[in-house]
Amino acid sequence: MEKYGYRFSFGPWNIHSGADPFGPPVRAERSFADKLGQYRGLGFDAVQFHDDDAVPGLDELTPLQIRRRARKVKRQIDDAGLLAEFVAPRLWESPRTVDGAYTANDPEARRYAIERTKRAADIAHELGTDLMVLWLAREGTYMRESKDPVRATGQLLEAVNTILDYAPAIRIAIEPKPNEPMDLAYIPTMGHALALGSQSSDPKRMGVLMESAHSVLAGLDPSDEIGFAMSFGKLWSVHLNDQNGLKFDQDRSFGAVDLRRAFNQVKVLDENRFYDVGMVGLDVKAIRTQPFERDAEHLTNSLRVFLRLLELSRSLDRAAVQSLIDARDYEQLDWLIISHLLGG
Ligand code: GLO
Ligand code: MG
Protein backbone atom coordinates (compact mmCIF):
# COMPACT_ATOMS: atom_id res chain seq x y z
CA MET A 1 0.00 0.00 0.00
CA GLU A 2 1.49 3.38 -1.04
CA LYS A 3 1.29 5.68 1.97
CA TYR A 4 3.07 8.73 0.54
CA GLY A 5 5.33 9.18 3.57
CA TYR A 6 2.44 9.24 6.04
CA ARG A 7 2.51 7.12 9.17
CA PHE A 8 -0.71 5.90 10.73
CA SER A 9 -1.63 5.11 14.31
CA PHE A 10 -4.52 4.12 16.53
CA GLY A 11 -5.03 3.13 20.14
CA PRO A 12 -5.92 -0.29 21.58
CA TRP A 13 -9.29 1.23 22.57
CA ASN A 14 -10.16 1.58 18.89
CA ILE A 15 -10.70 -2.17 18.66
CA HIS A 16 -13.32 -2.68 21.33
CA SER A 17 -16.16 -4.75 22.65
CA GLY A 18 -19.01 -2.44 21.61
CA ALA A 19 -20.22 -1.53 25.12
CA ASP A 20 -22.05 1.81 25.28
CA PRO A 21 -23.78 3.71 28.10
CA PHE A 22 -26.97 1.75 27.40
CA GLY A 23 -25.68 -1.75 27.00
CA PRO A 24 -22.93 -4.19 27.94
CA PRO A 25 -20.23 -5.53 25.62
CA VAL A 26 -21.49 -7.28 22.50
CA ARG A 27 -18.13 -8.57 21.27
CA ALA A 28 -15.40 -10.43 23.13
CA GLU A 29 -12.55 -8.22 24.36
CA ARG A 30 -9.33 -8.92 22.48
CA SER A 31 -6.08 -9.11 24.39
CA PHE A 32 -3.48 -6.38 23.96
CA ALA A 33 -1.16 -8.89 22.27
CA ASP A 34 -3.89 -9.87 19.83
CA LYS A 35 -4.51 -6.21 18.95
CA LEU A 36 -0.81 -5.53 18.59
CA GLY A 37 -0.57 -8.42 16.15
CA GLN A 38 -3.11 -6.74 13.89
CA TYR A 39 -1.54 -3.28 13.44
CA ARG A 40 0.87 -4.02 10.59
CA GLY A 41 -1.62 -6.11 8.64
CA LEU A 42 -4.12 -3.29 8.83
CA GLY A 43 -1.53 -0.85 7.41
CA PHE A 44 -0.61 0.93 10.67
CA ASP A 45 2.79 1.95 11.99
CA ALA A 46 2.34 3.11 15.56
CA VAL A 47 0.37 2.64 18.77
CA GLN A 48 -1.28 5.40 20.78
CA PHE A 49 -1.35 4.48 24.44
CA HIS A 50 -3.26 5.37 27.53
CA ASP A 51 -0.90 4.91 30.47
CA ASP A 52 -2.93 1.89 31.59
CA ASP A 53 -3.09 0.38 28.08
CA ALA A 54 0.66 -0.03 28.57
CA VAL A 55 0.65 -0.77 32.30
CA PRO A 56 -2.74 -2.03 33.51
CA GLY A 57 -3.47 -1.38 37.18
CA LEU A 58 -0.70 1.18 37.51
CA ASP A 59 -2.36 2.84 40.50
CA GLU A 60 -1.43 -0.23 42.55
CA LEU A 61 2.21 -0.29 41.42
CA THR A 62 5.34 1.56 42.49
CA PRO A 63 7.05 3.91 40.03
CA LEU A 64 9.83 1.36 39.60
CA GLN A 65 7.41 -1.49 38.86
CA ILE A 66 5.62 0.74 36.36
CA ARG A 67 8.84 1.48 34.52
CA ARG A 68 9.79 -2.19 34.42
CA ARG A 69 6.43 -3.19 32.99
CA ALA A 70 6.57 -0.41 30.43
CA ARG A 71 9.96 -1.69 29.31
CA LYS A 72 8.39 -5.07 28.57
CA VAL A 73 5.73 -3.38 26.45
CA LYS A 74 8.47 -1.56 24.57
CA ARG A 75 9.95 -4.95 23.65
CA GLN A 76 6.50 -6.14 22.52
CA ILE A 77 6.00 -3.17 20.21
CA ASP A 78 9.55 -3.47 18.91
CA ASP A 79 8.92 -7.13 18.11
CA ALA A 80 5.72 -6.17 16.29
CA GLY A 81 7.67 -3.60 14.24
CA LEU A 82 5.71 -0.71 15.73
CA LEU A 83 6.41 2.66 17.33
CA ALA A 84 4.70 4.30 20.28
CA GLU A 85 3.22 7.62 19.13
CA PHE A 86 2.11 9.00 22.48
CA VAL A 87 1.04 8.21 26.02
CA ALA A 88 -2.08 9.80 27.54
CA PRO A 89 -2.82 9.62 31.27
CA ARG A 90 -6.31 8.14 31.69
CA LEU A 91 -7.57 10.52 34.33
CA TRP A 92 -11.29 10.00 33.97
CA GLU A 93 -12.00 6.47 35.18
CA SER A 94 -10.82 6.49 38.77
CA PRO A 95 -13.48 7.04 41.46
CA ARG A 96 -11.06 9.69 42.71
CA THR A 97 -11.57 11.89 39.64
CA VAL A 98 -15.37 11.96 39.38
CA ASP A 99 -15.34 15.73 39.90
CA GLY A 100 -12.34 16.39 37.69
CA ALA A 101 -8.63 15.65 37.88
CA TYR A 102 -6.43 18.77 37.82
CA THR A 103 -9.50 20.93 38.49
CA ALA A 104 -11.17 18.72 41.10
CA ASN A 105 -12.36 20.58 44.14
CA ASP A 106 -10.80 17.90 46.35
CA PRO A 107 -7.04 18.55 46.76
CA GLU A 108 -6.46 14.80 47.22
CA ALA A 109 -7.92 14.17 43.74
CA ARG A 110 -5.70 16.89 42.28
CA ARG A 111 -2.63 15.34 43.88
CA TYR A 112 -3.57 11.94 42.50
CA ALA A 113 -4.00 13.42 39.01
CA ILE A 114 -0.56 14.99 39.05
CA GLU A 115 1.14 11.85 40.37
CA ARG A 116 -0.63 9.73 37.77
CA THR A 117 0.48 12.10 35.01
CA LYS A 118 4.08 11.83 36.19
CA ARG A 119 3.80 8.05 35.88
CA ALA A 120 2.41 8.48 32.36
CA ALA A 121 5.48 10.56 31.52
CA ASP A 122 7.72 7.78 32.88
CA ILE A 123 5.87 5.29 30.67
CA ALA A 124 6.28 7.53 27.62
CA HIS A 125 9.99 7.67 28.33
CA GLU A 126 10.23 3.87 28.52
CA LEU A 127 8.18 3.43 25.35
CA GLY A 128 10.51 5.72 23.44
CA THR A 129 8.16 8.61 22.74
CA ASP A 130 8.43 12.24 23.83
CA LEU A 131 4.75 12.99 23.23
CA MET A 132 2.09 13.11 25.94
CA VAL A 133 -1.53 13.74 24.99
CA LEU A 134 -3.87 15.34 27.49
CA TRP A 135 -7.54 14.78 26.79
CA LEU A 136 -8.95 16.80 29.70
CA ALA A 137 -12.02 14.61 29.99
CA ARG A 138 -13.44 15.73 33.35
CA GLU A 139 -11.95 19.20 33.57
CA GLY A 140 -15.15 21.16 33.43
CA THR A 141 -18.51 21.22 35.13
CA TYR A 142 -21.78 19.36 35.37
CA MET A 143 -22.97 22.12 37.66
CA ARG A 144 -21.99 25.64 36.66
CA GLU A 145 -21.66 26.97 40.18
CA SER A 146 -19.54 24.06 41.45
CA LYS A 147 -16.22 25.44 40.19
CA ASP A 148 -14.58 28.77 39.58
CA PRO A 149 -13.42 29.10 35.95
CA VAL A 150 -10.57 31.46 36.82
CA ARG A 151 -9.22 29.16 39.48
CA ALA A 152 -9.75 26.11 37.26
CA THR A 153 -7.74 27.65 34.42
CA GLY A 154 -4.97 28.42 36.89
CA GLN A 155 -5.04 24.82 38.08
CA LEU A 156 -4.74 23.52 34.52
CA LEU A 157 -1.77 25.78 33.94
CA GLU A 158 -0.16 24.68 37.17
CA ALA A 159 -0.67 21.03 36.17
CA VAL A 160 1.02 21.39 32.77
CA ASN A 161 3.84 23.40 34.32
CA THR A 162 4.41 20.67 36.89
CA ILE A 163 4.66 18.04 34.16
CA LEU A 164 6.89 20.17 31.93
CA ASP A 165 9.16 20.59 34.91
CA TYR A 166 9.07 16.93 35.95
CA ALA A 167 9.78 15.58 32.45
CA PRO A 168 12.06 17.97 30.56
CA ALA A 169 12.02 15.81 27.41
CA ILE A 170 8.23 15.63 27.17
CA ARG A 171 6.08 17.61 24.75
CA ILE A 172 2.41 17.93 25.64
CA ALA A 173 -0.38 17.99 23.06
CA ILE A 174 -3.75 18.98 24.46
CA GLU A 175 -6.74 17.29 22.80
CA PRO A 176 -9.66 19.74 23.15
CA LYS A 177 -13.26 18.54 23.37
CA PRO A 178 -16.22 20.76 24.28
CA ASN A 179 -18.41 18.28 26.16
CA GLU A 180 -18.92 14.62 27.12
CA PRO A 181 -18.41 13.40 29.71
CA MET A 182 -18.77 16.93 31.11
CA ASP A 183 -21.62 19.25 30.29
CA LEU A 184 -19.11 22.04 29.64
CA ALA A 185 -15.37 21.47 29.34
CA TYR A 186 -12.77 24.11 30.18
CA ILE A 187 -10.62 23.57 27.09
CA PRO A 188 -13.22 23.13 24.34
CA THR A 189 -11.29 24.23 21.23
CA MET A 190 -7.89 24.57 19.60
CA GLY A 191 -7.80 28.24 20.55
CA HIS A 192 -8.24 27.47 24.24
CA ALA A 193 -5.58 24.77 24.16
CA LEU A 194 -3.08 27.01 22.37
CA ALA A 195 -3.75 29.89 24.71
CA LEU A 196 -3.11 27.68 27.72
CA GLY A 197 0.13 26.41 26.17
CA SER A 198 1.31 29.93 25.39
CA GLN A 199 0.97 30.86 29.07
CA SER A 200 2.90 27.81 30.28
CA SER A 201 6.44 27.78 31.60
CA ASP A 202 7.74 26.29 28.32
CA PRO A 203 5.46 27.18 25.38
CA LYS A 204 7.80 25.41 22.92
CA ARG A 205 6.78 22.09 24.42
CA MET A 206 3.03 22.76 24.31
CA GLY A 207 0.99 21.84 21.24
CA VAL A 208 -2.33 20.30 20.25
CA LEU A 209 -4.08 17.25 18.86
CA MET A 210 -7.15 17.95 16.72
CA GLU A 211 -9.98 15.43 16.75
CA SER A 212 -12.54 15.86 13.94
CA ALA A 213 -15.57 14.79 16.01
CA HIS A 214 -14.61 17.14 18.83
CA SER A 215 -14.38 20.10 16.44
CA VAL A 216 -17.79 19.28 15.00
CA LEU A 217 -19.23 19.01 18.52
CA ALA A 218 -17.86 22.51 19.16
CA GLY A 219 -19.69 23.73 16.06
CA LEU A 220 -16.39 24.28 14.25
CA ASP A 221 -14.89 23.04 11.04
CA PRO A 222 -12.12 20.48 11.64
CA SER A 223 -10.02 21.70 8.70
CA ASP A 224 -10.04 25.24 10.08
CA GLU A 225 -9.06 23.93 13.51
CA ILE A 226 -6.19 22.05 11.83
CA GLY A 227 -5.18 25.13 9.85
CA PHE A 228 -5.24 27.38 12.91
CA ALA A 229 -2.92 25.06 14.84
CA MET A 230 -0.66 24.45 11.83
CA SER A 231 -0.23 28.14 11.21
CA PHE A 232 1.62 28.25 14.54
CA GLY A 233 3.47 24.96 14.02
CA LYS A 234 1.48 23.49 16.90
CA LEU A 235 -0.41 20.57 15.39
CA TRP A 236 1.47 17.54 16.64
CA SER A 237 -1.13 14.83 16.17
CA VAL A 238 -4.64 14.27 14.89
CA HIS A 239 -7.59 12.04 15.69
CA LEU A 240 -9.38 11.85 12.40
CA ASN A 241 -12.89 10.42 12.51
CA ASP A 242 -16.40 11.62 11.71
CA GLN A 243 -19.46 12.86 13.53
CA ASN A 244 -23.09 13.22 12.50
CA GLY A 245 -24.04 16.58 13.97
CA LEU A 246 -24.42 17.64 17.57
CA LYS A 247 -25.01 14.50 19.54
CA PHE A 248 -22.93 12.02 21.53
CA ASP A 249 -19.32 11.60 20.39
CA GLN A 250 -19.67 9.00 17.66
CA ASP A 251 -16.10 8.30 16.56
CA ARG A 252 -17.41 7.20 13.16
CA SER A 253 -15.00 6.11 10.45
CA PHE A 254 -13.16 8.95 8.79
CA GLY A 255 -15.27 10.39 5.97
CA ALA A 256 -18.28 8.19 6.80
CA VAL A 257 -20.60 11.17 7.38
CA ASP A 258 -19.20 14.04 5.34
CA LEU A 259 -16.67 13.20 2.64
CA ARG A 260 -16.14 16.79 1.63
CA ARG A 261 -15.34 17.78 5.19
CA ALA A 262 -12.91 14.87 5.33
CA PHE A 263 -11.37 15.94 2.01
CA ASN A 264 -10.74 19.42 3.36
CA GLN A 265 -8.98 17.99 6.43
CA VAL A 266 -6.68 15.88 4.28
CA LYS A 267 -6.09 18.81 1.94
CA VAL A 268 -5.00 21.23 4.66
CA LEU A 269 -2.84 18.58 6.34
CA ASP A 270 -1.13 17.68 3.09
CA GLU A 271 -0.69 21.22 1.79
CA ASN A 272 1.10 22.03 5.02
CA ARG A 273 3.25 18.87 4.99
CA PHE A 274 1.84 17.26 8.09
CA TYR A 275 3.73 14.08 7.13
CA ASP A 276 6.93 15.85 8.22
CA VAL A 277 5.49 16.64 11.63
CA GLY A 278 3.25 13.95 12.99
CA MET A 279 1.32 10.76 12.50
CA VAL A 280 -2.23 10.36 11.30
CA GLY A 281 -4.18 8.91 14.22
CA LEU A 282 -7.60 7.46 13.57
CA ASP A 283 -9.75 7.65 16.70
CA VAL A 284 -12.56 5.57 15.27
CA LYS A 285 -14.83 2.98 16.83
CA ALA A 286 -16.72 0.14 15.19
CA ILE A 287 -20.47 0.56 15.57
CA ARG A 288 -22.19 -1.68 18.09
CA THR A 289 -23.72 -3.97 15.47
CA GLN A 290 -20.36 -5.06 14.06
CA PRO A 291 -19.56 -8.80 14.45
CA PHE A 292 -16.44 -9.82 16.39
CA GLU A 293 -14.63 -11.34 13.39
CA ARG A 294 -14.94 -8.03 11.53
CA ASP A 295 -14.19 -5.62 14.33
CA ALA A 296 -11.32 -3.72 12.65
CA GLU A 297 -12.91 -2.77 9.34
CA HIS A 298 -13.59 0.79 10.52
CA LEU A 299 -9.80 1.22 10.83
CA THR A 300 -9.03 -0.08 7.35
CA ASN A 301 -11.89 1.94 5.90
CA SER A 302 -10.67 5.14 7.57
CA LEU A 303 -7.13 4.61 6.36
CA ARG A 304 -8.31 3.90 2.82
CA VAL A 305 -10.49 7.01 2.85
CA PHE A 306 -7.52 9.11 3.96
CA LEU A 307 -5.33 7.77 1.15
CA ARG A 308 -8.04 8.13 -1.51
CA LEU A 309 -8.71 11.70 -0.41
CA LEU A 310 -4.99 12.37 -0.44
CA GLU A 311 -4.85 11.33 -4.08
CA LEU A 312 -7.83 13.57 -4.79
CA SER A 313 -6.21 16.48 -3.01
CA ARG A 314 -2.97 16.06 -4.96
CA SER A 315 -4.75 15.65 -8.30
CA LEU A 316 -6.96 18.70 -7.80
CA ASP A 317 -6.48 21.12 -10.69
CA ARG A 318 -5.07 23.99 -8.66
CA ALA A 319 -4.78 26.32 -11.65
CA ALA A 320 -8.48 25.85 -12.35
CA VAL A 321 -9.24 26.48 -8.68
CA GLN A 322 -7.18 29.67 -8.76
CA SER A 323 -8.84 31.03 -11.87
CA LEU A 324 -12.28 30.48 -10.32
CA ILE A 325 -11.11 32.24 -7.17
CA ASP A 326 -9.81 35.12 -9.32
CA ALA A 327 -13.16 35.33 -11.11
CA ARG A 328 -14.94 35.08 -7.74
CA ASP A 329 -17.01 32.30 -9.27
CA TYR A 330 -17.39 30.28 -6.10
CA GLU A 331 -20.45 28.44 -7.44
CA GLN A 332 -18.32 26.99 -10.20
CA LEU A 333 -15.62 26.27 -7.62
CA ASP A 334 -18.27 24.36 -5.68
CA TRP A 335 -19.01 22.29 -8.78
CA LEU A 336 -15.33 21.72 -9.52
CA ILE A 337 -14.80 20.29 -6.02
CA ILE A 338 -17.98 18.22 -6.08
CA SER A 339 -17.27 16.76 -9.51
CA HIS A 340 -13.68 16.03 -8.48
CA LEU A 341 -14.94 14.16 -5.41
CA LEU A 342 -17.44 12.31 -7.61
CA GLY A 343 -14.60 11.13 -9.83
CA GLY A 344 -14.57 13.85 -12.51
C1 GLO B 1 -12.63 10.89 23.69
C2 GLO B 1 -11.26 11.06 23.22
C3 GLO B 1 -10.37 9.91 23.63
C4 GLO B 1 -8.93 10.33 23.60
C5 GLO B 1 -8.03 9.27 24.14
C6 GLO B 1 -6.59 9.71 24.19
O1 GLO B 1 -13.53 11.57 23.31
O2 GLO B 1 -11.24 11.24 21.85
O3 GLO B 1 -10.58 8.80 22.80
O4 GLO B 1 -8.55 10.64 22.32
O5 GLO B 1 -8.46 8.94 25.43
O6 GLO B 1 -6.39 10.60 25.19
MG1 MG C 1 -9.56 11.36 20.60
Side-chain angles (χ1 to χ4, degrees):
M1 191 191 311
E2 172 58 64
K3 299 204 289 190
Y4 305 98
Y6 280 92
R7 288 170 304 166
F8 294 88
S9 60
F10 68 89
W13 66 90
N14 295 116
I15 297 180
H16 76 120
S17 61
D20 73 13
F22 304 99
V26 288
R27 296 183 286 270
E29 187 59 65
R30 292 185 188 273
S31 68
F32 176 64
D34 175 354
K35 292 178 185 181
L36 218 52
Q38 295 195 46
Y39 272 74
R40 279 275 158 205
L42 293 169
F44 287 79
D45 309 280
V47 185
Q48 305 183 332
F49 284 96
H50 292 123
D51 49 5
D52 59 358
D53 291 325
V55 183
L58 77 164
D59 284 342
E60 311 311 322
L61 303 174
T62 66
L64 194 67
Q65 288 172 320
I66 292 171
R67 277 182 175 271
R68 279 207 198 109
R69 293 196 190 183
R71 245 169 266 159
K72 279 198 193 140
V73 177
K74 170 71 170 135
R75 282 198 288 277
Q76 274 181 288
I77 57 175
D78 284 350
D79 290 348
L82 296 166
L83 296 166
E85 187 198 354
F86 67 66
V87 176
R90 198 191 312 252
L91 294 169
W92 52 92
E93 284 190 357
S94 165
R96 278 175 271 203
T97 55
V98 286
D99 188 33
Y102 311 130
T103 67
N105 282 323
D106 174 4
E108 196 41 54
R110 296 203 296 275
R111 256 193 302 279
Y112 162 76
I114 297 283
E115 283 312 303
R116 171 98 183 216
T117 312
K118 288 181 177 171
R119 300 294 79 79
D122 295 346
I123 293 171
H125 180 74
E126 297 297 343
L127 295 183
T129 176
D130 68 349
L131 191 60
M132 170 181 283
V133 165
L134 288 185
W135 170 43
L136 300 167
R138 292 195 196 274
E139 315 300 359
T141 54
Y142 302 114
M143 189 64 61
R144 267 322 27 219
E145 298 79 9
S146 66
K147 290 182 187 173
D148 171 344
V150 174
R151 191 182 62 180
T153 307
Q155 286 165 334
L156 290 172
L157 197 57
E158 206 182 297
V160 297
N161 285 344
T162 307
I163 299 310
L164 290 170
D165 186 51
Y166 172 76
I170 283 282
R171 294 178 298 142
I172 298 178
I174 296 181
E175 177 181 347
K177 181 178 181 182
N179 61 285
E180 198 200 43
M182 304 314 289
D183 175 24
L184 291 156
Y186 283 131
I187 305 292
T189 69
M190 235 20 80
H192 292 81
L194 290 173
L196 192 80
S198 76
Q199 298 298 307
S200 73
S201 56
D202 194 356
K204 289 191 307 304
R205 290 194 284 139
M206 293 296 298
V208 287
L209 176 155
M210 189 294 315
E211 172 159 330
S212 326
H214 299 180
S215 300
V216 173
L217 286 170
L220 298 170
D221 181 76
S223 62
D224 275 350
E225 287 283 87
I226 290 172
F228 184 68
M230 288 196 95
S231 77
F232 301 123
K234 288 296 189 186
L235 189 75
W236 295 345
S237 187
V238 287
H239 270 172
L240 301 185
N241 56 18
D242 215 346
Q243 171 71 26
N244 188 12
L246 301 181
K247 47 186 87 174
F248 66 95
D249 183 7
Q250 298 182 309
D251 294 337
R252 292 295 318 281
S253 294
F254 184 50
V257 177
D258 189 334
L259 262 185
R260 188 170 179 177
R261 189 167 64 195
F263 169 72
N264 281 309
Q265 291 171 71
V266 174
K267 183 168 171 292
V268 70
L269 286 169
D270 198 49
E271 285 173 349
N272 294 285
R273 307 172 65 94
F274 182 69
Y275 46 86
D276 283 340
V277 182
M279 299 191 200
V280 175
L282 293 158
D283 198 0
V284 291
K285 295 243 175 71
I287 53 179
R288 190 167 154 85
T289 44
Q290 195 61 7
F292 175 75
E293 317 74 53
R294 295 163 169 264
D295 63 350
E297 289 183 353
H298 57 303
L299 288 156
T300 331
N301 292 348
S302 296
L303 191 143
R304 284 198 293 226
V305 166
F306 183 94
L307 292 172
R308 292 281 289 275
L309 292 176
L310 185 63
E311 283 163 8
L312 286 171
S313 171
R314 292 188 175 181
S315 62
L316 184 66
D317 183 345
R318 294 214 160 38
V321 169
Q322 192 54 52
S323 68
L324 292 171
I325 293 171
D326 294 343
R328 220 179 66 201
D329 189 353
Y330 298 162
E331 291 296 352
Q332 196 56 35
L333 177 58
D334 200 22
W335 174 244
L336 188 149
I337 299 294
I338 291 169
S339 56
H340 191 60
L341 289 178
L342 289 174

